[in-house]
């Protein structure tokens, strides 16, 4: 039974009880009933007690369900918050295709990012030349953790980091361009 149902049930019960207590239509119109009442199986008081007991049980049931619903909602909220942290953004700025960005450590901007386990990084190529975001170091080459392949101007690449550690990456076309992600 829902809340409205319970309120209705209480209202109807109250009216019925009041009606019976005052002697029904007979007393309302001050007419003495000339037909003997069919003797009820239980007294009016017992009937009333049963109704009150039933309503109380219904209210307890609704309260229990409401508590369970609240707990479930809190659980879902907690899961949603931990599951979807906003991605951190890294730009590949204009000029990364020309050696020199490495001198000021701005071939990727920002070049070093720290995130939590489960965090995501989104790279976007804001340069006119094509670049890659390839995990590994120039000396030993790609390590296979992630690779954007060729990103043209305006294209993006994202990667979610499930394990803690230090991830270094570089551009396959312009090897002076390097960056890193620290996952803690
Ligand atoms: Cu490049």
């Amino acid at each position: 039974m829902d809340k409205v149902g319970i309120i209705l049930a209480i209202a109807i019960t109250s009216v019925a009880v009041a009606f019976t207590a005052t002697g029904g239509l007979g007393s309302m119109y001050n007419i003495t009933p000339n037909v003997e009442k069919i003797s009820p199986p239980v007294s009016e008081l017992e009937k009333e007690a049963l109704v009150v007991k039933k309503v109380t049980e219904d209210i307890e049931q609704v309260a229990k369900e409401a508590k369970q619903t609240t707990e479930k909602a809190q659980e879902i909220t907690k899961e949603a918050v931990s599951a979807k942290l906003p991605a951190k953004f890294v730009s590949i700025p204009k000029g990364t295709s020309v050696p020199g960005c490495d001198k000021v450590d701005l071939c990727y901007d920002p070049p070093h990012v720290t995130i939590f386990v489960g965090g995501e990084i989104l790279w976007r190529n804001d340069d006119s030349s094509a670049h890659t975001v390839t995990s590994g170091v120039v000396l030993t080459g790609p390590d296979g953790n992630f690779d954007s392949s060729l990103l043209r101007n305006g294209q993006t690449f994202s990667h979610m980091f499930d394990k803690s550690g230090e991830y270094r990456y570089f551009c396959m076309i312009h090897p002076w361009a390097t960056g890193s992600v620290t996952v803690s």
Side-chain angles (χ1 to χ4, degrees):
M1 199 184 283
D2 61 17
K3 277 181 188 164
V4 176
I6 284 172
I7 291 163
L8 267 176
I10 292 170
I12 291 165
T13 308
S14 306
V15 170
V17 168
F19 188 70
T20 319
T22 54
L25 280 174
S27 90
M28 200 185 273
Y29 294 104
N30 214 10
I31 303 163
T32 312
N34 51 8
V35 186
E36 256 192 61
K37 273 188 189 170
I38 301 160
S39 63
V42 286
S43 77
E44 297 300 331
L45 214 61
E46 280 171 325
K47 259 195 214 165
E48 199 177 334
L50 277 175
V51 168
V52 169
K53 187 167 172 279
K54 178 80 176 73
V55 169
T56 307
E57 281 170 4
D58 283 345
I59 288 170
E60 279 168 358
Q61 181 61 28
V62 168
K64 210 170 105 187
E65 281 167 16
K67 189 168 170 275
Q68 284 169 350
T69 306
T70 308
E71 283 168 0
K72 187 78 194 151
Q74 284 169 342
E75 217 173 275
I76 289 168
T77 308
K78 231 161 81 184
E79 280 169 16
V81 167
S82 66
K84 197 60 195 170
L85 296 166
K88 284 207 178 179
F89 176 69
V90 176
S91 167
I92 304 172
K94 267 185 178 27
T96 293
S97 55
V98 184
C101 62
D102 51 317
K103 299 285 183 288
V104 286
D105 199 13
L106 266 185
C107 299
Y108 295 92
D109 184 18
H112 311 290
V113 184
T114 300
I115 57 167
F116 292 119
V117 171
E120 192 178 12
I121 307 278
L122 177 78
W123 288 268
R124 187 181 64 208
N125 184 3
D126 294 319
D127 193 17
S128 46
S129 301
H131 297 281
T132 76
V133 175
T134 307
S135 68
V137 288
V138 180
L139 217 59
T140 49
D143 62 14
N145 275 320
F146 53 90
D147 184 16
S148 67
S149 73
L150 215 58
L151 291 178
R152 299 191 182 282
N153 173 263
Q155 289 185 320
T156 60
F157 167 70
S158 71
H159 182 75
M160 195 177 274
F161 294 80
D162 295 328
K163 278 186 196 160
S164 60
E166 177 88 11
Y167 297 84
R168 295 169 69 185
Y169 63 88
F170 64 101
C171 174
M172 300 265 272
I173 306 161
H174 313 96
W176 54 86
T178 62
S180 74
V181 178
T182 304
V183 183
S184 58

